[in-house]
Amino acid sequence: MSDYKMDIHGIIGLSEYSNIYDYLCIVDKEDKFTISIDKENKDNLSTINLMLQDNSFIVDNEGVDANGNYFIKAHKAL
């Protein structure tokens, strides 16, 4: 089981969504994945959650860190 982490700073555009999708394809069954995004990207959380669900991830925890940035911790189910 591996732990993967992705930090996204700045505005999330099409290329960042493509990078997220590519990264999700690397993660294997039962691997853990944490994605962190800037607080300015709050509106993108639902899209990222949908991407995780569509790629067989189960969200374990999500919230806001001490700096006000958002994080989602998940693991791949299949």
Side-chain angles (χ1 to χ4, degrees), residues 32-67:
K32 295 179 182 180
F33 177 68
T34 301
I35 186 166
S36 300
I37 63 171
D38 292 340
K39 53 189 166 194
E40 293 82 19
N41 289 307
K42 179 181 180 181
D43 296 338
N44 296 302
L45 287 174
S46 60
T47 302
I48 293 171
N49 272 312
L50 285 173
M51 290 174 73
L52 289 166
Q53 289 175 1
D54 288 347
N55 285 280
S56 302
F57 281 83
I58 296 172
V59 174
D60 300 316
N61 188 15
E62 60 182 301
V64 180
D65 67 15
N67 297 321

Side-chain angles (χ1 to χ4, degrees), residues 18-37:
S18 178
N19 290 338
I20 293 169
Y21 181 78
D22 290 344
Y23 207 83
L24 294 178
C25 292
I26 295 170
V27 181
D28 203 7
K29 179 181 174 185
E30 296 301 320
D31 286 347
K32 295 179 182 180
F33 177 68
T34 301
I35 186 166
S36 300
I37 63 171

